[in-house]
Amino acid sequence: MSVRVAMSAGSSVSVRTIFPRSITLLTAETARSSPHHLKIKKILNELGLLSAESQGLKHSITTFDKLVESDHKIYLAIDPEENDDDGEVVGFLKLGEKRLFVTDGSEPAWPANIQCVLDFYICAKYQRHGWGRHLFEHAIENEDIEPWNMAYDRPSEKLINFLAKYYRLTDVVEQPNRYVMYRDYFINTSVKYVQGR
Ligand code: ACO
């Protein structure tokens, strides 16, 4: 299933009009102030439902209302050529900073501010065609962050495979929370932690 809300009957606004670029960064401010905020709301809510459904979650963790009440960032991708160049929504990646208690497995957990992947969804017809990587790469470049430097909120098997395939992240360090973190985080940041504690 793909997201076509903005293309629904009676609507003269195309996906490309709402999102002129192939990847758009949505924040509370940009989403709220957009002249197309009602359409963006429908799209985000629908995407959130599709994401929850595909991950077997009871409730949507991504909605327009949640975005505008947070400092989260949503990177939203479109396929500009689909629907006779009117465009179609491909998927989204939601990032946000969290204060987590983390551990490298050898010491008691300590608090750290960490950039987290909170939700990630590519519409079914676009999956396994490189769109997820394209979107993820764009976001981490824009945020100037490395995949090992992030925590992943209850990652699905697909995301676990994705991170192993593209970023060689395989060595999971168990955490006292629902987030998944990789050994590289503790190796690459160990000096900082020793100094900061
Ligand atoms: N089974 C196993 N691995 C998969 C699958 C699948 N069905 N789909 C994607 N992958 C992994 C594999 O490593 C795959 O490489 P392969 O085809 O050689 O095995 C690789 O991702 C493909 O890379 P892309 O095409 O760039 O990825 P895609 O566009 O499919 O996006 C994503 C990856 C976001 C995980 C997508 O598959 C998706 O939306 N899945 C459903 C929702 C989901 O699981 N989201 C993650 C939730 S967890 C969280 O957000 C913290």
Side-chain angles (χ1 to χ4, degrees), residues 35-144:
H36 305 296
H37 66 276
L38 290 177
K39 287 261 188 291
I40 292 174
K41 183 171 187 167
K42 280 187 174 178
I43 289 170
L44 282 187
N45 290 352
E46 192 172 335
L47 279 173
L49 278 175
L50 291 172
S51 180
E53 195 181 302
S54 75
Q55 296 176 58
L57 304 175
K58 282 189 191 142
H59 304 288
S60 204
I61 50 175
T62 299
T63 65
F64 180 89
D65 289 347
K66 285 187 170 128
L67 174 65
V68 298
E69 287 158 12
S70 72
D71 56 3
H72 296 161
K73 294 178 176 178
I74 293 182
Y75 287 86
L76 186 141
I78 66 155
D79 177 355
E81 285 159 17
E82 198 57 32
N83 294 324
D84 293 331
D85 288 343
D86 274 348
E88 184 169 81
V89 175
V90 169
F92 72 98
L93 171 65
K94 182 167 79 172
L95 304 179
E97 194 176 291
K98 298 272 175 190
R99 189 157 179 84
L100 300 178
F101 278 85
V102 302
T103 178
D104 60 1
S106 67
E107 294 191 57
W110 64 88
N113 292 336
I114 300 187
Q115 188 70 254
C116 298
V117 172
L118 301 173
D119 203 0
F120 189 16
Y121 178 73
I122 296 295
C123 292
K125 83 173 215 191
Y126 288 104
Q127 286 178 22
R128 278 189 143 157
H129 287 85
W131 285 94
R133 187 184 193 191
H134 175 59
L135 181 57
F136 193 83
E137 287 282 324
H138 178 100
I140 61 173
E141 199 180 313
N142 202 49
E143 299 295 326
D144 195 20

